[in-house]
């Protein structure tokens, strides 16, 4: 019958390694009480009734036969539902744990990203802004401006040392220009003095 065919699936599941021992025992009990003991008697009674034969079983005897078999099937269903509930609860706990772990990783990576951003801003962005301002002032003629970050060993330090060389060359050129202008002024004053002296001598 279809009931027996469906029960065969239950029997097969009972043989699986993951089936709890208590559920296996309940299936074996139901198999013995319902399908091996009750079902043959029920089928025989149905055949007798179908053939209009007299049934030789009393109501108490029938209840004594039916109730244990039905209870055994109920126990299988109840235990299966309990196992399913336990499994679902365990899966829910695993899902919650995985969710919290995922949240923890998100917070961790967010914190790492924030710290990395702060580090980049303080160690790269701010120095570049300060260096750019210094370079603009030096290029505008503020040769006394101190060059920052010269001792850094990265690209910013390399740019700072290059700017210092540019500033020092500009200072040297400015000093040479001042010295040249001073020398020219001295030569002009000397020429003017000699010219005046010659004019005075001739006048006398």
């Amino acid at each position: 019958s279809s009931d027996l065919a469906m029960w065969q699936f239950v029997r097969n599941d009972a043989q699986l390694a993951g089936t709890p021992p208590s559920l296996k025992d309940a299936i074996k009990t139901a198999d013995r009480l319902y399908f091996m003991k009750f079902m043959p008697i029920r089928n025989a009674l149905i055949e007798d009734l179908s053939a209009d034969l007299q049934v030789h079983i009393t109501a108490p005897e029938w209840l004594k036969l039916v109730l244990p078999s039905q209870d055994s099937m109920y126990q299988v269903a109840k235990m299966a539902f309990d196992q399913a509930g336990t499994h679902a609860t365990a899966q829910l706990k695993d899902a919650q744990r995985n969710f919290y772990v995922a949240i923890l990783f998100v917070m961790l990576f967010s914190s790492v990203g924030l710290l990395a951003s702060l580090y980049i801003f303080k160690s790269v962005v701010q120095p570049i802004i300060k260096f750019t301002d210094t370079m603009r002032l030096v290029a505008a003629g503020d040769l006394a401006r101190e060059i920052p970050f010269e001792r850094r060993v990265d690209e910013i330090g390399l740019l700072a040392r290059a700017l210092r060389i540019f500033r020092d060359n500009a200072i040297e050129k400015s000093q040479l220009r001042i010295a040249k202008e001073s020398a020219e002024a001295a030569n002009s004053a000397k020429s003017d003095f000699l010219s005046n002296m010659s004019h005075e001598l001739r006048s006398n």
Side-chain angles (χ1 to χ4, degrees):
S1 64
S2 60
D3 290 343
L4 189 58
M6 293 182 64
W7 183 252
Q8 187 58 44
F9 287 109
V10 178
R11 288 173 178 168
N12 294 337
D13 289 341
Q15 304 303 318
L16 298 176
T19 304
S22 58
L23 183 56
K24 288 183 178 181
D25 293 339
I27 293 172
K28 288 180 181 179
T29 301
D31 196 30
R32 176 174 54 82
L33 293 177
Y34 190 87
F35 288 94
M36 294 181 182
K37 185 177 181 180
F38 171 72
M39 285 287 289
I41 297 173
R42 187 200 70 165
N43 293 338
L45 290 173
I46 292 174
E47 290 178 3
D48 290 344
L49 290 172
S50 299
D52 291 329
L53 297 177
Q54 187 177 0
V55 176
H56 300 284
I57 187 170
T58 63
E61 289 175 341
W62 176 254
L63 291 176
K64 187 177 180 179
L65 183 65
V66 170
L67 292 179
S69 62
Q70 289 182 340
D71 183 68
S72 66
M73 294 297 290
Y74 169 76
Q75 291 299 326
V76 171
K78 180 178 180 300
M79 199 163 295
F81 278 118
D82 290 343
Q83 292 295 330
T86 302
H87 182 67
T89 301
Q91 285 188 322
L92 178 60
K93 289 182 179 179
D94 289 340
Q96 288 177 337
R97 182 174 62 253
N98 292 336
F99 174 75
Y100 291 134
V101 169
I103 291 296
L104 180 62
F105 273 111
V106 169
M107 293 176 62
L108 177 62
F109 288 134
S110 298
S111 299
V112 171
L114 179 60
L115 291 175
S117 299
L118 289 174
Y119 172 77
I120 291 174
F121 180 77
K122 294 188 69 174
S123 63
V124 178
V125 176
Q126 281 186 337
I128 287 178
I129 293 174
K130 185 176 181 180
F131 175 78
T132 303
D133 289 339
T134 302
M135 184 171 60
R136 178 178 55 80
L137 293 172
V138 170
D142 186 4
L143 301 181
R145 176 68 56 176
E146 182 181 357
I147 308 299
F149 313 119
E150 287 190 65
R151 295 188 178 183
R152 288 183 59 151
V153 295
D154 56 2
E155 289 79 2
I156 295 177
L158 182 63
L159 290 173
R161 289 187 288 275
L163 180 60
R164 179 177 57 81
I165 293 173
F166 170 81
R167 186 202 62 183
D168 292 347
N169 288 337
I171 291 174
E172 184 177 355
K173 288 181 180 179
S174 177
Q175 291 175 343
L176 289 174
R177 179 178 56 79
I178 292 173
K180 180 181 178 182
E181 290 176 354
S182 298
E184 289 176 351
N187 287 333
S188 178
K190 180 180 178 182
S191 298
D192 291 341
F193 175 75
L194 292 176
S195 176
N196 289 333
M197 285 295 296
S198 176
H199 177 71
E200 290 292 333
L201 291 173
R202 284 195 302 271
S203 297
N204 293 328

